Amino acid sequence: MPDTKKFIENLSGAGKCIGVLTSGGDAQGMNAAVRAVVRMGIYVGAKVYFIHEGYQGMVDGGDNIKEASWESVSSMLQVGGTVIGSARCKDFRTHEGRLHAALNLVQRGITNLCVIGGDGSLTGANLFREEWSGLLDELVQSGEISEEASQIHSALHIVGMVGSIDNDFCGTDMTIGTDSALHRIIEVVDAIMTTAQSHQRTFVLEVMGRHCGYLALVSALACGADWVLIPEMPPKDGWEEQMCYKLSENRADKKRLNIIIVAEGAIDQSNKPITTELIKDLVVRCLGFDTRVTILGHVQRGGTPSAFDRILASRMGVEAVLALLEASPGTPACVVSLCGNQAVRVPLMECVQMTQEVQKAMDEKRFEEAVRLRGRSFENNLNTYKLLSHRKIDSELPHSSFNVAVLNVGAPAAGMNAAVRSAVRVGITEGHTMFAVSDGFEGFYKGQIKEIKWGDVGGWTGQGGSLLGTKRTLPAKHIDKIAEQMRIHNINALLVIGGFEAYLGLMELQAARSKHAELCVPMVMVPATVSNNIPGSDLSIGADTALNAITDTCDRIKQSASGTKRRVFIIETMGGYCGYLATVGGLAAGADAAYIYEEPFDIRELQSNVEHLTEKMKTSIQRGLVLRNENCSENYTTDFIYQLYNEEGKGVFDCRKNVLGHMQQGGAPSPFDRNFGTKIAAKAMQWISKKLKEFYREDEGRVFANTEDSACLLGMRRRALVFQPVVQLKDETDFVHRIPKEQWWLRLRPLMKILAKYKTSYDVSDSGQLEHIVRLRAKDISAI
């Protein structure tokens, strides 16, 4: 970390020209990345050029390379695919083609390239960079450029962003487009489940992933599929009988349908392809089940980008421009990537080599090595899937004689049910008896506690809300009755899934341990709230689903506004005092402003926002979008802001307001929330098992846990899942406003302002740290 802070104001792009292109297969979110590069480039004073049709446009030149303006990227954010076009280019693979491309760039003064594509596109860019000085020498010799031009443009800087729906690139947790592709897959699976249920059918689904099983694996986790086949982990010999046994066992357990997910590149131990037809024939022949095949194909590439992909691509685009501004002739070509929730830069060729190593390991049948090389996220997804999917017969289970209770507390959040399912199944696998508490702490003191078995949580991952029932009631007033219920049911550990009330509740239970020995058991909380306001965790279950609901609604509203022209919408979001949904939703929807409690504002700021929108109405973008967090100000209410904008904008624009309300809490959970809920709850249950062994007193025959670290919150911090004693989180909490004192996403606010054309201060001290992929792996081995 640098000692001195570094601000965007001190970085200038004056005199620099940046070319942006999308290459290879398209991916949702590429447009958001292009928009961010263009706007950030213009913001710092550089000229930015679109290079249409990928490398083909670079080779052909002419109108394919056009200067971009601020307005030219308006309305791109919500569009799937790539507006500037992409093409597979044979010419660029030839020396002659690259010579043409170099000439076209030098003629326009472009020496900075931002390439958005897969590993093939990025490898091509690196080769181009290495040949650059040689190409310029050739152009000087043939008289096509002057010696002076060759000197001025002597270094070519390249920054890559990975756009690939397969998530097949090493060095980043998520590539642009992966989350949106998962949305498409899950939408289809959810729809297929209803018809499969009606007819008691088995469905075999083929998803994309010729060399990488990420989409198949995560969608299998997110929908609770019965079986998954991926190229990195071919099934062991005899898998056919095992799979058929699993399918028939599930039917015997009153499950009316089976889902099998196959990556298009799935293979067996002998590297022979496993096709959907082969599986269908197998199921029909062995079990006689009514079986159908669905191949998702290009549906996965299409549609509007998810909120996650828009934010990821916007952050990457801004980071790419910063990397280009800071590049010196000796800087290696880098890729901007995501690690946890941090943007980092990694050397491009290190990533490419690691990606190629995965393929080599698979070709040589070193499959475990291939999984390890894919990275921590892939490995953990696979381990979680294995943990949850194969039900052991009672004789195989360790018998622990411990009872573990699970409850939901606070407001409903999408993904809670996935977390409960995961906790119950992992708990049973670990040998515990699992109990479900209905209606939070209220149900607890009323004794609404019953055993919950493996089959009871089947099909829960895709369900929104809270199937256990949840209430905001805190335990303090009913502590005696809760302790009594703990004794009656002999509860040895607690898993609480919920929001701020769950956090307060855990503190109250811990405080009451001195009076009630029954409460001296391991307790862990998993954060689940749309507001994302829990201290100790950067993310909580449910926030991603809420962001997608906000983004979808804003897209529709923007469409309506651009139809009527000269209209500004004021939209109120949830979140209590936490401005996460308003800020990150604003970034994903392309809002002009977002008012939040954490960043106080006054009438002067409101006035300048109105003036900014008045200026905007003079351009070709004649619509505005303003988000307001529900509690951002006691006096500047949504009505007040609406009336102020209406009055001040008279004759220039008219206003409408919209309160989004509880639609932000509802709906089916997004793939991210299903996956996050599943993984975090599984990790929490494994912690409980460890603590039960640690705190079991042989002599007394009971569990006794009275230390600070036996009541924890499991949260995502930067790049890892961390258990933190709730007592230690007190100092990090603003209890009056129910928010953490420090919130990472506030660093994203300047991005939203820059992309909406506001001059602002932006601390970029975190940028510019080039990390090496090997070091990155070793350091983050304990993360999700």
Side-chain angles (χ1 to χ4, degrees):
M1 191 76 180
D3 297 330
T4 50
K5 279 202 177 295
K6 189 169 57 173
F7 289 94
I8 189 76
E9 301 89 299
N10 307 329
L11 289 173
S12 168
K16 293 193 174 179
C17 295
I18 300 170
V20 59
L21 69 145
T22 52
S23 173
D26 67 316
Q28 307 96 320
M30 280 182 164
N31 290 325
V34 170
R35 169 182 178 267
V37 170
V38 168
R39 291 197 167 173
M40 188 64 174
I42 292 171
Y43 181 87
V44 295
K47 274 188 176 180
V48 187
Y49 289 85
F50 290 133
I51 300 174
H52 290 271
E53 314 308 332
Y55 287 119
Q56 194 63 55
M58 202 193 287
V59 173
D60 295 345
D63 278 348
N64 286 308
I65 306 176
K66 278 189 187 151
E67 191 176 345
S69 67
W70 191 276
E71 282 89 33
S72 63
V73 291
S74 174
S75 301
M76 266 169 93
L77 194 59
Q78 61 268 35
V79 181
T82 165
V83 171
I84 59 174
S86 178
R88 313 257 178 205
C89 175
K90 287 200 180 98
D91 294 346
F92 194 74
R93 290 182 181 169
T94 67
H95 183 77
E96 196 57 37
R98 292 194 291 277
L99 196 63
H100 278 297
L103 176 64
N104 288 326
L105 294 186
V106 171
Q107 283 172 344
R108 292 163 181 80
I110 300 171
T111 53
N112 297 282
L113 276 186
C114 186
V115 182
I116 307 161
D119 62 338
S121 311
L122 299 180
T123 311
N126 194 58
L127 175 67
F128 190 43
R129 177 180 162 277
E130 284 171 353
E131 289 183 350
W132 183 255
S133 56
L135 293 170
L136 293 196
D137 289 345
E138 280 182 56
L139 291 169
V140 169
Q141 277 162 13
S142 62
E144 288 175 90
I145 64 168
S146 67
E147 183 66 51
E148 189 191 359
S150 164
Q151 293 295 317
I152 295 168
H153 306 109
S154 61
L156 177 69
H157 303 299
I158 284 180
V159 172
M161 279 184 266
V162 193
S164 156
I165 66 164
D166 294 342
N167 204 24
D168 56 355
F169 194 80
C170 295
T172 182
D173 284 357
M174 286 289 261
T175 57
I176 295 166
T178 305
D179 188 64
S180 303
L182 285 170
H183 273 258
R184 296 301 93 78
I185 295 168
I186 293 304
E187 281 158 17
V188 170
V189 175
D190 285 355
I192 277 175
M193 275 179 155
T194 54
T195 171
Q197 187 100 23
S198 308
H199 295 277
Q200 298 199 42
R201 281 196 176 128
T202 295
F203 269 86
V204 185
L205 297 172
E206 182 183 289
V207 300
M208 281 185 170
R210 208 168 308 136
H211 305 294
C212 179
Y214 185 88
L215 288 179
L217 180 57
V218 175
S219 51
L221 254 183
C223 72
D226 298 277
W227 202 264
V228 67
L229 291 150
I230 58 171
E232 292 88 346
M233 210 55 180
K236 293 188 169 58
D237 293 339
W239 64 273
E240 296 92 341
E241 295 80 31
Q242 218 183 337
M243 183 182 79
C244 290
Y245 173 72
K246 170 96 191 291
L247 299 181
S248 60
E249 187 191 40
N250 281 352
R251 285 291 175 98
D253 209 10
K254 303 196 186 72
K255 195 175 174 189
R256 291 175 59 89
L257 75 155
N258 302 110
I259 301 280
I260 300 164
I261 294 183
V262 189
E264 59 180 332
I267 47 172
D268 64 14
Q269 292 278 348
S270 327
N271 278 15
K272 282 203 196 91
I274 300 176
T275 63
T276 45
E277 284 304 323
L278 184 129
I279 292 170
K280 178 189 168 179
D281 295 344
L282 179 70
V283 174
V284 172
R285 190 175 72 247
C286 296
L287 300 171
F289 290 171
D290 185 0
T291 307
R292 297 284 190 276
V293 169
T294 300
I295 293 171
L296 268 63
H298 282 75
V299 164
Q300 295 159 85
R301 282 195 190 283
T304 180
S306 65
F308 181 94
D309 272 332
R310 298 180 195 197
I311 294 151
L312 172 67
S314 300
R315 289 178 70 187
M316 300 292 109
V318 167
E319 184 69 26
V321 173
L322 294 177
L324 287 171
L325 292 184
E326 292 172 359
S328 61
T331 314
C334 74
V335 172
V336 287
S337 75
L338 181 77
C339 195
N341 62 17
Q342 281 189 288
V344 294
R345 300 177 195 171
V346 267
L348 188 148
M349 285 321 287
E350 279 185 25
C351 298
V352 169
Q353 278 152 10
M354 180 81 101
T355 306
Q356 287 165 352
E357 271 179 48
V358 179
Q359 193 53 49
K360 194 174 164 214
M362 282 157 62
D363 292 342
E364 293 170 5
K365 299 189 187 176
R366 292 182 286 117
F367 296 112
E368 284 183 12
E369 176 75 359
V371 168
R372 200 181 58 72
L373 288 169
R374 275 267 180 250
R376 65 197 177 113
S377 175
F378 189 92
E379 208 169 351
N380 280 299
N381 281 323
L382 188 58
N383 291 337
T384 309
Y385 180 78
K386 284 179 184 168
L387 200 62
L388 291 171
S389 61
H390 298 301
R391 183 177 181 176
K392 292 179 180 169
I393 19 181
D394 290 343
S395 59
E396 293 177 333
L397 290 172
H399 188 61
S400 76
S401 74
F402 291 125
N403 295 342
V404 181
V406 183
L407 64 156
N408 292 160
V409 176
M416 275 182 164
N417 298 321
V420 172
R421 168 186 174 268
S422 170
V424 167
R425 292 196 168 175
V426 173
I428 291 169
T429 305
E430 304 259 310
H432 312 315
T433 305
M434 299 300 296
F435 285 86
V437 181
S438 302
D439 299 338
F441 288 119
E442 192 171 305
F444 210 141
Y445 83 80
K446 288 179 178 171
Q448 295 169 355
I449 304 168
K450 60 178 195 303
E451 190 182 341
I452 186 163
K453 294 205 157 67
W454 186 281
D456 298 336
V457 289
W460 277 33
T461 36
Q463 305 273 340
S466 164
L467 292 169
L468 287 184
T470 182
K471 289 268 169 75
R472 291 181 181 271
T473 315
L474 289 169
K477 288 179 187 166
H478 314 283
I479 214 86
D480 297 347
K481 287 181 180 173
I482 287 173
E484 190 186 344
Q485 291 299 334
M486 295 272 288
R487 195 187 68 251
I488 292 168
H489 295 278
N490 188 24
I491 303 295
N492 308 115
L494 276 185
L495 172 60
V496 185
I497 299 163
F500 206 83
E501 284 83 5
Y503 171 62
L504 295 174
L506 211 60
M507 284 185 173
E508 290 179 4
L509 291 177
Q510 189 176 22
R513 278 176 168 178
S514 54
K515 290 190 183 136
H516 299 279
E518 293 89 345
L519 299 175
C520 295
V521 297
M523 305 174 188
V524 63
M525 174 199 161
V526 166
T529 163
V530 297
S531 305
N532 195 27
N533 62 336
I534 307 296
S537 193
D538 293 348
L539 289 173
S540 55
I541 300 165
D544 184 68
T545 307
L547 272 183
N548 278 293
I550 292 167
T551 308
D552 290 349
T553 310
C554 287
D555 285 352
R556 292 177 189 195
I557 284 169
K558 273 167 82 176
Q559 210 166 26
S560 139
S562 54
T564 42
K565 297 273 189 294
R566 297 177 179 272
R567 180 163 285 176
V568 174
F569 274 88
I570 316 286
I571 296 169
E572 184 186 297
T573 66
M574 276 183 159
Y577 284 94
C578 177
Y580 176 80
L581 290 179
T583 298
V584 184
L587 186 58
D592 295 283
Y595 300 118
I596 62 168
Y597 165 77
E598 292 90 343
E599 198 173 274
F601 57 97
D602 56 19
I603 196 74
R604 283 182 294 279
E605 189 166 337
L606 289 171
Q607 184 64 39
S608 83
N609 290 152
V610 173
E611 286 163 11
H612 190 270
L613 281 166
T614 308
E615 283 304 305
K616 187 179 174 182
M617 294 300 161
K618 293 176 186 169
T619 70
S620 56
I621 324 168
Q622 297 184 346
R623 55 174 166 65
L625 190 66
V626 175
L627 269 59
R628 177 190 176 274
N629 160 264
E630 57 185 352
N631 287 352
C632 66
S633 164
E634 203 178 330
N635 297 312
Y636 298 139
T637 60
T638 303
D639 282 333
F640 176 90
I641 292 173
Y642 162 67
Q643 284 161 356
L644 176 83
Y645 272 63
N646 234 349
E647 185 62 34
E648 295 294 316
K650 258 190 188 151
V652 183
F653 58 79
D654 66 350
C655 250
R656 293 288 183 274
K657 68 169 192 278
N658 213 312
V659 177
L660 299 184
H662 282 75
M663 60 161 282
Q664 296 161 85
Q665 269 181 10
S670 68
F672 182 89
D673 278 331
R674 296 181 192 200
N675 194 2
F676 185 48
T678 299
K679 287 201 286 192
I680 197 168
K683 194 163 174 113
M685 272 316 297
Q686 288 172 321
W687 177 88
I688 281 177
S689 295
K690 196 174 104 208
K691 291 291 172 191
L692 283 169
K693 287 193 190 96
E694 195 181 309
F695 291 113
Y696 182 66
R697 296 187 172 180
E698 289 277 355
D699 49 337
E700 298 173 35
R702 65 171 181 144
V703 173
F704 187 82
N706 198 14
T707 54
E708 280 189 3
D709 69 347
S710 63
C712 279
L713 179 143
L714 174 55
M716 188 182 178
R717 279 274 168 109
R718 288 169 85 94
R719 302 180 181 187
L721 283 174
V722 194
F723 290 94
Q724 304 142 97
V726 283
V727 178
Q728 291 173 18
L729 292 171
K730 273 186 182 170
D731 294 341
E732 296 181 25
T733 312
D734 171 351
F735 286 99
V736 177
H737 300 101
R738 300 158 59 94
I739 53 173
K741 289 178 182 170
E742 280 190 23
Q743 302 183 87
W744 70 275
W745 52 264
L746 284 167
R747 295 200 305 272
L748 300 181
R749 278 189 66 81
L751 294 195
M752 189 192 77
K753 292 177 182 175
I754 287 168
L755 296 175
K757 217 175 184 174
Y758 282 94
K759 287 282 175 212
T760 185
S761 180
Y762 179 32
D763 180 359
V764 291
S765 311
D766 277 354
S767 300
Q769 304 302 300
L770 195 67
E771 300 207 3
H772 290 283
I773 196 164
V774 183
R775 202 193 78 199
L776 200 127
R777 286 274 354 247
K779 189 167 59 180
D780 297 327
I781 218 83
S782 64
I784 315 185

